Amino acid sequence: ERRARAAHQQVAYIIGDMREVGALPGTFDAVINIWQSLAYFDEETNAELLRQIRGKLSPGGRFIVDIYNRDFYERNQGQKRQEIGGTIVESNGYMEGNRWHSVLTYRDESGAVIGGDHMEWQMFTPDEFIALAAACGFTSRLICAWWDESRAPSPDTARMQIVLESDSVG
C-alpha cells in the first residue's frame, strides 16, 4: 500500500467469499490469490472461480496465484511432527486422486490431544494449472517457485506462483 500511495495509485482490498467474486461491481487491473486458497473446492467450483476472476479483470489485467505444486506433494506424503509455540503438531499428508489431505492432531506439552483438523485441496502440476487457466481465458506470463522469478517449479519445490493475463474483456 505504501508503494501504491507513492505512485499516486489507490489499492482496494475486498474481503468476502471468493466464490462470489463475479458479483463484485466493476473490473480490476489485478487479482491476487495466495496460500493455495484458490483450490479449496471441487474441480468445477475451482474452474468457475478462474472464469469469474477472468471476467472481473480489465483487458490485459493480471491474476497472480500462489498454489502448491502437486509434483512436490506426491513425493512428500507421510507423517511429520513438529512443535510450534509449545503445541505439538502431528500431521499426516497424503494424496487421494488429485486432492491433498492434511490431517492434523494438536497435543499439549504432556502429549494430551487438544484438537485437530482435516483439510484438503485440489492439487495441480504446473502444466495442469496452465492448461486450466488457458481454458478459462488466460495466458500464462510467468511461472516460478518460492516468489523467485529465476526459479522454475520442480518436484523439489512445494509452492509455485503463476502470473496470468486476461486474454480479453470478460
Side-chain angles (χ1 to χ4, degrees):
E1 191 170 334
R2 177 179 44 82
R3 289 181 183 170
R5 275 186 296 212
H8 304 289
Q9 298 291 315
Q10 289 187 328
V11 176
Y13 298 96
I14 299 168
I15 298 171
D17 186 330
M18 75 174 101
R19 293 170 291 183
E20 297 171 4
V21 70
L24 294 172
T27 59
F28 303 95
D29 295 325
V31 172
I32 301 171
N33 188 285
I34 59 174
W35 280 107
Q36 184 63 16
S37 58
L38 179 76
Y40 286 164
F41 310 106
D42 62 78
E43 288 183 42
E44 182 52 40
T45 302
N46 293 331
E48 176 59 22
L49 283 169
L50 275 174
R51 288 188 290 271
Q52 285 187 44
I53 290 167
R54 186 206 158 269
K56 296 310 297 180
L57 287 172
S58 305
R62 300 285 172 100
F63 176 43
I64 301 168
V65 61
D66 168 47
I67 58 176
Y68 297 153
N69 181 354
R70 185 168 101 195
D71 290 332
F72 174 86
Y73 285 88
E74 285 178 336
R75 291 164 177 79
N76 289 282
Q77 300 179 64
Q79 298 181 345
K80 295 180 179 126
R81 182 181 171 104
Q82 61 184 332
E83 183 181 333
I84 302 173
T87 299
I88 298 165
V89 180
E90 298 171 341
S91 62
N92 181 27
Y94 62 93
M95 291 293 302
E96 189 172 85
N98 69 355
R99 297 192 72 81
W100 175 257
H101 292 259
S102 181
V103 180
L104 304 174
T105 302
Y106 308 113
R107 296 180 183 277
D108 65 17
E109 292 173 350
S110 73
V113 173
I114 56 173
D117 285 305
H118 181 172
M119 301 169 279
E120 66 171 285
W121 305 271
Q122 182 181 3
M123 300 291 274
F124 298 93
T125 66
D127 290 342
E128 287 171 340
F129 191 80
I130 295 301
L132 175 60
C136 293
F138 285 103
T139 299
S140 173
R141 293 293 178 212
L142 174 71
I143 183 166
C144 65
W146 293 112
W147 300 100
D148 180 348
E149 293 179 18
S150 68
R151 188 173 179 188
S154 76
D156 298 323
T157 57
R159 289 172 63 187
M160 58 186 171
Q161 294 74 43
I162 302 169
V163 177
L164 303 170
E165 184 174 272
S166 174
D167 286 343
S168 64
V169 139

